[in-house]
Amino acid sequence: MAVVLREVKHSDFKNIQNLFFEVYGKNASLGFEKAFFKHEQLLGFCLHDDDSIASEIIVGYFGCFTYKRNIGGIDYQFYNTHTWIVQPDYRKHSLKLLLPFLRLNDGIITNFSANGKVAQILEQLKFSKYSIVNNVLIQSFSWKSYHDQRKINAQILKQDIAIWHKAYECLCLNLSLGHSKQSIELILKPVARKPKWVQSINQLSKLIIRKPIITKSYFLYKIHFVSDADLLMKYINALSHYLFLKKRVGGLILPESIIKNLSPNYIKNHYEDEVYVRTNLNHLPPIDYLYSEVFYLNISDK
Protein backbone atom coordinates (compact mmCIF):
# COMPACT_ATOMS: atom_id res chain seq x y z
CA MET A 1 0.00 0.00 0.00
CA ALA A 2 1.60 3.26 -1.15
CA VAL A 3 -0.27 5.66 1.09
CA VAL A 4 0.03 9.33 0.18
CA LEU A 5 -0.55 12.19 2.66
CA ARG A 6 -1.72 15.62 1.52
CA GLU A 7 -3.80 18.64 2.57
CA VAL A 8 -7.56 18.46 2.29
CA LYS A 9 -9.27 20.47 -0.45
CA HIS A 10 -12.90 21.53 -0.82
CA SER A 11 -13.19 19.15 -3.77
CA ASP A 12 -12.53 16.24 -1.35
CA PHE A 13 -15.87 16.62 0.40
CA LYS A 14 -17.71 13.85 -1.46
CA ASN A 15 -14.90 11.37 -0.80
CA ILE A 16 -14.82 12.35 2.87
CA GLN A 17 -18.57 11.74 3.04
CA ASN A 18 -18.03 8.33 1.47
CA LEU A 19 -15.36 7.57 4.09
CA PHE A 20 -17.77 8.50 6.90
CA PHE A 21 -20.45 6.25 5.45
CA GLU A 22 -18.11 3.32 4.86
CA VAL A 23 -16.71 3.41 8.42
CA TYR A 24 -19.77 4.53 10.42
CA GLY A 25 -22.71 3.77 8.15
CA LYS A 26 -23.85 7.40 8.38
CA ASN A 27 -23.31 10.61 6.47
CA ALA A 28 -21.74 13.64 8.10
CA SER A 29 -24.22 16.21 9.39
CA LEU A 30 -25.37 19.21 7.37
CA GLY A 31 -23.62 21.41 9.94
CA PHE A 32 -20.34 19.77 9.01
CA GLU A 33 -20.93 20.33 5.30
CA LYS A 34 -21.81 23.99 5.82
CA ALA A 35 -18.74 24.68 7.93
CA PHE A 36 -16.47 22.70 5.58
CA PHE A 37 -17.26 24.86 2.57
CA LYS A 38 -17.16 28.15 4.49
CA HIS A 39 -13.60 27.64 5.65
CA GLU A 40 -10.85 28.97 3.40
CA GLN A 41 -7.79 28.12 5.48
CA LEU A 42 -6.34 24.74 6.46
CA LEU A 43 -9.04 22.03 6.34
CA GLY A 44 -6.88 19.19 7.60
CA PHE A 45 -5.02 16.28 6.03
CA CYS A 46 -6.04 13.12 4.22
CA LEU A 47 -4.60 9.81 3.05
CA HIS A 48 -5.24 8.00 -0.19
CA ASP A 49 -3.88 4.74 -1.56
CA ASP A 50 -1.73 5.55 -4.56
CA ASP A 51 -1.69 1.90 -5.62
CA SER A 52 -5.46 1.76 -5.89
CA ILE A 53 -7.14 1.83 -9.29
CA ALA A 54 -9.30 4.66 -7.97
CA SER A 55 -6.42 6.46 -6.27
CA GLU A 56 -8.51 9.55 -5.55
CA ILE A 57 -10.52 7.61 -2.93
CA ILE A 58 -9.70 8.91 0.55
CA VAL A 59 -8.86 6.21 3.10
CA GLY A 60 -8.02 8.49 6.04
CA TYR A 61 -8.97 11.97 7.21
CA PHE A 62 -8.09 14.25 10.12
CA GLY A 63 -10.15 17.41 9.85
CA CYS A 64 -9.20 20.92 10.92
CA PHE A 65 -11.00 24.24 10.83
CA THR A 66 -8.64 27.19 11.05
CA TYR A 67 -9.38 30.66 12.38
CA LYS A 68 -7.58 33.87 13.09
CA ARG A 69 -9.01 35.43 16.24
CA ASN A 70 -8.31 38.70 17.97
CA ILE A 71 -8.40 38.30 21.76
CA GLY A 72 -7.50 41.23 23.95
CA GLY A 73 -6.01 43.08 20.98
CA ILE A 74 -3.73 40.14 20.04
CA ASP A 75 -4.16 38.06 16.89
CA TYR A 76 -4.07 34.28 17.36
CA GLN A 77 -4.20 31.45 14.86
CA PHE A 78 -6.34 28.50 15.99
CA TYR A 79 -6.12 25.07 14.38
CA ASN A 80 -9.24 23.31 15.62
CA THR A 81 -8.84 19.61 14.85
CA HIS A 82 -11.73 17.17 14.68
CA THR A 83 -12.89 13.90 13.12
CA TRP A 84 -9.89 11.57 12.93
CA ILE A 85 -11.17 8.69 10.83
CA VAL A 86 -9.31 5.95 8.93
CA GLN A 87 -10.46 2.83 7.09
CA PRO A 88 -9.66 -0.29 9.19
CA ASP A 89 -7.21 -1.70 6.63
CA TYR A 90 -5.14 1.51 6.74
CA ARG A 91 -5.07 2.28 10.46
CA LYS A 92 -1.38 1.46 10.77
CA HIS A 93 -0.90 4.74 8.86
CA SER A 94 -3.15 6.78 11.18
CA LEU A 95 -0.33 8.72 12.87
CA LYS A 96 0.73 10.13 9.50
CA LEU A 97 -2.40 12.29 9.68
CA LEU A 98 -1.36 13.77 13.03
CA LEU A 99 2.30 14.54 12.29
CA PRO A 100 1.70 17.61 10.07
CA PHE A 101 -0.25 19.24 12.93
CA LEU A 102 2.70 18.75 15.26
CA ARG A 103 4.88 20.70 12.85
CA LEU A 104 2.61 23.75 12.88
CA ASN A 105 4.43 26.46 14.81
CA ASP A 106 2.37 29.58 14.19
CA GLY A 107 -0.66 28.99 16.37
CA ILE A 108 -2.70 26.94 18.81
CA ILE A 109 -3.92 23.41 18.07
CA THR A 110 -7.08 22.26 19.85
CA ASN A 111 -9.07 19.04 19.94
CA PHE A 112 -12.43 18.82 21.70
CA SER A 113 -13.44 15.38 20.49
CA ALA A 114 -10.65 13.13 21.79
CA ASN A 115 -11.65 9.91 23.48
CA GLY A 116 -10.09 6.53 24.17
CA LYS A 117 -6.94 5.91 22.15
CA VAL A 118 -6.97 9.41 20.63
CA ALA A 119 -6.79 11.00 24.08
CA GLN A 120 -3.91 8.72 25.05
CA ILE A 121 -1.99 9.62 21.90
CA LEU A 122 -2.48 13.36 22.42
CA GLU A 123 -1.30 13.12 26.02
CA GLN A 124 1.80 11.18 24.95
CA LEU A 125 2.54 13.93 22.41
CA LYS A 126 2.51 16.58 25.15
CA PHE A 127 -0.92 18.07 24.49
CA SER A 128 -2.24 19.75 27.63
CA LYS A 129 -5.65 18.62 28.87
CA TYR A 130 -8.16 21.12 30.27
CA SER A 131 -11.50 20.24 31.84
CA ILE A 132 -14.45 22.58 31.35
CA VAL A 133 -17.54 22.30 33.56
CA ASN A 134 -20.82 23.00 31.77
CA ASN A 135 -23.83 23.92 33.89
CA VAL A 136 -27.30 23.04 32.61
CA LEU A 137 -29.50 25.82 33.96
CA ILE A 138 -32.83 25.45 35.70
CA GLN A 139 -35.64 26.99 33.67
CA SER A 140 -38.13 29.01 35.65
CA PHE A 141 -41.17 29.98 33.58
CA SER A 142 -43.79 32.11 35.32
CA TRP A 143 -46.25 34.88 34.58
CA LYS A 144 -43.58 37.36 35.61
CA SER A 145 -40.98 35.90 33.24
CA TYR A 146 -43.60 35.82 30.47
CA HIS A 147 -44.46 39.47 31.12
CA ASP A 148 -40.79 40.50 31.28
CA GLN A 149 -39.82 38.64 28.10
CA ARG A 150 -42.42 40.64 26.15
CA LYS A 151 -40.31 43.74 26.81
CA ILE A 152 -37.22 42.16 25.22
CA ASN A 153 -36.57 43.27 21.65
CA ALA A 154 -34.00 42.28 19.06
CA GLN A 155 -31.65 45.00 17.88
CA ILE A 156 -29.42 45.26 14.84
CA LEU A 157 -26.60 42.79 15.22
CA LYS A 158 -23.14 44.24 15.47
CA GLN A 159 -20.89 42.82 12.77
CA ASP A 160 -17.97 42.24 15.12
CA ILE A 161 -20.06 39.78 17.13
CA ALA A 162 -21.06 37.56 14.24
CA ILE A 163 -18.10 37.72 11.88
CA TRP A 164 -16.17 34.83 13.50
CA HIS A 165 -19.22 32.66 13.90
CA LYS A 166 -20.74 32.62 10.43
CA ALA A 167 -19.62 29.04 9.75
CA TYR A 168 -21.52 27.68 12.74
CA GLU A 169 -25.14 26.88 13.41
CA CYS A 170 -25.45 29.41 16.20
CA LEU A 171 -27.60 32.29 17.41
CA CYS A 172 -25.91 35.70 17.46
CA LEU A 173 -28.22 38.08 19.32
CA ASN A 174 -28.23 41.69 20.42
CA LEU A 175 -31.21 42.20 22.75
CA SER A 176 -32.59 45.28 24.46
CA LEU A 177 -33.99 44.53 27.91
CA GLY A 178 -37.20 46.48 28.05
CA HIS A 179 -37.54 49.82 29.81
CA SER A 180 -34.12 49.52 31.46
CA LYS A 181 -32.49 50.69 28.18
CA GLN A 182 -29.82 48.07 28.79
CA SER A 183 -28.76 45.64 26.09
CA ILE A 184 -26.99 42.32 26.06
CA GLU A 185 -25.08 40.50 23.34
CA LEU A 186 -25.27 36.71 23.24
CA ILE A 187 -23.82 33.93 21.13
CA LEU A 188 -25.46 30.53 21.62
CA LYS A 189 -24.68 27.26 19.88
CA PRO A 190 -26.99 24.22 19.77
CA VAL A 191 -25.75 21.07 21.44
CA ALA A 192 -26.77 17.70 20.00
CA ARG A 193 -28.75 16.90 23.12
CA LYS A 194 -32.39 17.34 23.99
CA PRO A 195 -33.55 18.53 27.42
CA LYS A 196 -35.36 15.96 29.54
CA TRP A 197 -38.79 17.46 28.91
CA VAL A 198 -38.34 16.94 25.15
CA GLN A 199 -37.03 13.42 25.70
CA SER A 200 -40.16 12.60 27.72
CA ILE A 201 -42.46 13.92 24.98
CA ASN A 202 -40.59 11.99 22.33
CA GLN A 203 -40.64 8.76 24.34
CA LEU A 204 -44.42 9.10 24.61
CA SER A 205 -44.82 9.87 20.92
CA LYS A 206 -42.73 6.82 20.00
CA LEU A 207 -45.21 4.65 21.90
CA ILE A 208 -48.17 6.24 20.11
CA ILE A 209 -46.99 7.04 16.57
CA ARG A 210 -43.66 5.16 16.60
CA LYS A 211 -41.49 8.22 15.99
CA PRO A 212 -40.32 11.32 17.90
CA ILE A 213 -42.22 14.51 17.16
CA ILE A 214 -39.64 17.10 18.31
CA THR A 215 -36.48 16.54 16.30
CA LYS A 216 -35.39 19.79 14.63
CA SER A 217 -35.95 22.30 17.42
CA TYR A 218 -35.73 22.76 21.19
CA PHE A 219 -32.17 21.54 21.55
CA LEU A 220 -30.08 22.62 24.49
CA TYR A 221 -28.01 25.68 23.59
CA LYS A 222 -24.63 26.51 25.09
CA ILE A 223 -23.88 30.16 25.82
CA HIS A 224 -20.46 30.85 24.32
CA PHE A 225 -20.31 34.59 24.73
CA VAL A 226 -22.18 37.17 26.75
CA SER A 227 -21.34 40.87 26.86
CA ASP A 228 -22.36 41.26 30.53
CA ALA A 229 -22.44 38.15 32.73
CA ASP A 230 -24.08 39.93 35.66
CA LEU A 231 -26.83 41.28 33.42
CA LEU A 232 -27.38 37.81 32.02
CA MET A 233 -28.05 36.38 35.47
CA LYS A 234 -30.24 39.33 36.46
CA TYR A 235 -32.55 38.69 33.50
CA ILE A 236 -31.97 34.94 33.11
CA ASN A 237 -35.63 33.94 33.62
CA ALA A 238 -36.97 36.48 31.15
CA LEU A 239 -34.22 35.69 28.63
CA SER A 240 -34.87 31.94 28.94
CA HIS A 241 -38.57 32.54 28.34
CA TYR A 242 -37.82 34.81 25.35
CA LEU A 243 -35.42 32.29 23.78
CA PHE A 244 -37.92 29.48 24.31
CA LEU A 245 -40.80 31.33 22.64
CA LYS A 246 -38.91 33.25 19.93
CA LYS A 247 -35.99 30.99 19.06
CA ARG A 248 -37.20 27.51 20.11
CA VAL A 249 -34.34 27.07 22.57
CA GLY A 250 -35.13 24.08 24.78
CA GLY A 251 -32.70 24.95 27.57
CA LEU A 252 -29.46 26.77 28.36
CA ILE A 253 -25.97 25.54 29.22
CA LEU A 254 -23.50 27.91 30.82
CA PRO A 255 -19.75 27.01 30.83
CA GLU A 256 -17.95 27.86 34.05
CA SER A 257 -15.57 30.10 32.12
CA ILE A 258 -18.38 32.63 31.64
CA ILE A 259 -19.60 32.89 35.22
CA LYS A 260 -17.45 31.68 38.10
CA ASN A 261 -19.05 30.32 41.30
CA LEU A 262 -22.53 30.03 39.84
CA SER A 263 -25.13 29.60 42.58
CA PRO A 264 -26.49 26.03 42.95
CA ASN A 265 -29.97 27.57 42.77
CA TYR A 266 -29.45 28.04 39.03
CA ILE A 267 -27.93 24.64 38.27
CA LYS A 268 -30.08 21.69 37.20
CA ASN A 269 -27.07 19.45 36.55
CA HIS A 270 -23.59 19.74 35.12
CA TYR A 271 -21.12 17.77 33.06
CA GLU A 272 -17.49 18.05 32.05
CA ASP A 273 -15.92 18.31 28.62
CA GLU A 274 -12.22 18.08 27.92
CA VAL A 275 -10.07 20.00 25.47
CA TYR A 276 -6.55 19.05 24.40
CA VAL A 277 -4.28 21.95 23.52
CA ARG A 278 -0.81 22.25 22.03
CA THR A 279 0.83 25.62 21.45
CA ASN A 280 4.22 27.18 20.86
CA LEU A 281 3.07 30.40 22.54
CA ASN A 282 4.13 31.59 25.98
CA HIS A 283 0.56 31.97 27.19
CA LEU A 284 -2.84 30.57 26.32
CA PRO A 285 -5.79 32.86 25.59
CA PRO A 286 -9.31 31.87 26.71
CA ILE A 287 -10.53 28.69 25.06
CA ASP A 288 -14.22 28.25 24.28
CA TYR A 289 -16.28 25.82 22.27
CA LEU A 290 -17.31 28.18 19.51
CA TYR A 291 -13.88 27.99 17.94
CA SER A 292 -13.71 24.25 17.82
CA GLU A 293 -16.28 21.75 16.73
CA VAL A 294 -17.39 18.26 17.56
CA PHE A 295 -19.25 17.25 14.44
CA TYR A 296 -21.82 14.56 14.94
CA LEU A 297 -21.98 12.35 11.89
CA ASN A 298 -25.73 12.28 12.18
CA ILE A 299 -27.60 14.20 14.87
CA SER A 300 -30.33 11.80 15.94
CA ASP A 301 -33.03 12.41 18.48
CA LYS A 302 -31.84 11.80 22.03
Side-chain angles (χ1 to χ4, degrees):
M1 296 181 182
V3 175
V4 177
L5 173 74
R6 63 169 174 81
E7 282 191 23
V8 171
K9 301 175 290 186
H10 286 122
S11 58
D12 292 321
F13 181 77
K14 183 177 180 181
N15 282 328
I16 291 171
Q17 281 274 45
N18 291 338
L19 177 63
F20 283 168
F21 192 83
E22 182 173 343
V23 175
Y24 293 118
K26 298 178 180 179
N27 287 322
S29 68
L30 292 177
F32 172 86
E33 181 176 357
K34 179 181 177 182
F36 186 91
F37 283 105
K38 283 197 173 183
H39 281 74
E40 299 297 334
Q41 301 185 66
L42 180 65
L43 287 167
F45 299 92
C46 63
L47 294 171
H48 60 88
D49 186 351
D50 206 35
D51 288 340
S52 171
I53 295 175
S55 60
E56 75 278 3
I57 293 177
I58 290 175
V59 299
Y61 165 70
F62 198 166
C64 177
F65 290 152
T66 307
Y67 284 102
K68 288 184 178 178
R69 297 174 55 194
N70 186 285
I71 304 175
I74 302 174
D75 288 328
Y76 296 93
Q77 182 100 321
F78 277 76
Y79 297 100
N80 302 310
T81 63
H82 62 86
T83 320
W84 192 355
I85 178 173
V86 182
Q87 285 187 10
D89 291 343
Y90 294 85
R91 286 182 181 165
K92 66 181 180 181
H93 301 286
S94 295
L95 280 177
K96 292 180 180 179
L97 290 163
L98 176 59
L99 296 178
F101 291 111
L102 302 182
R103 291 192 286 266
L104 296 172
N105 59 9
D106 62 343
I108 300 166
I109 305 167
T110 68
N111 189 288
F112 286 72
S113 56
N115 53 59
K117 292 183 179 179
V118 175
Q120 293 177 11
I121 291 170
L122 295 180
E123 289 181 6
Q124 290 172 1
L125 293 172
K126 307 303 182 184
F127 277 73
S128 299
K129 181 172 72 173
Y130 297 87
S131 294
I132 299 174
V133 175
N134 301 292
N135 300 294
V136 181
L137 302 187
I138 294 172
Q139 289 180 296
S140 179
F141 294 158
S142 63
W143 282 112
K144 183 179 186 307
S145 65
Y146 173 76
H147 178 74
D148 291 344
Q149 70 83 26
R150 294 180 65 187
K151 301 175 185 177
I152 297 175
N153 295 292
Q155 300 185 127
I156 296 174
L157 190 65
K158 295 180 181 179
Q159 182 63 15
D160 58 344
I161 305 175
I163 189 170
W164 292 106
H165 320 305
K166 61 184 180 181
Y168 292 94
E169 297 291 339
C170 61
L171 295 175
C172 298
L173 303 171
N174 185 15
L175 303 174
S176 64
L177 302 174
H179 303 306
S180 68
K181 296 184 179 181
Q182 294 174 298
S183 63
I184 191 167
E185 298 168 354
L186 292 167
I187 297 174
L188 301 94
K189 181 177 177 296
V191 178
R193 295 173 58 190
K194 293 285 193 181
K196 287 186 177 180
W197 66 268
V198 174
Q199 294 179 36
S200 298
I201 291 174
N202 283 343
Q203 287 172 359
L204 179 61
S205 72
K206 288 176 184 178
L207 293 174
I208 299 172
I209 60 174
R210 297 186 179 179
K211 63 179 181 180
I213 61 174
I214 306 178
T215 59
K216 296 183 179 180
S217 60
Y218 298 107
F219 287 97
L220 289 167
Y221 275 70
K222 188 177 292 183
I223 301 175
H224 291 278
F225 168 81
V226 58
S227 58
D228 189 325
D230 292 335
L231 201 60
L232 169 69
M233 297 315 300
K234 180 178 179 180
Y235 288 90
I236 190 64
N237 292 335
L239 285 167
S240 295
H241 213 141
Y242 173 88
L243 293 168
F244 177 82
L245 292 175
K246 305 294 185 182
K247 303 296 181 181
R248 295 188 176 186
V249 172
L252 294 174
I253 300 172
L254 194 60
E256 64 175 356
S257 57
I258 294 178
I259 295 182
K260 303 291 185 181
N261 302 317
L262 185 64
S263 170
N265 295 330
Y266 291 109
I267 302 173
K268 188 173 186 179
N269 54 66
H270 62 268
Y271 64 95
E272 282 192 1
D273 281 332
E274 294 176 340
V275 54
Y276 287 83
V277 179
R278 181 183 172 105
T279 177
N280 65 326
L281 305 178
N282 293 326
H283 69 284
L284 186 68
I287 296 288
D288 63 58
Y289 286 89
L290 199 58
Y291 302 99
S292 190
E293 189 59 271
V294 178
F295 282 105
Y296 295 85
L297 298 177
N298 187 8
I299 296 178
S300 60
D301 182 65
K302 297 188 177 183

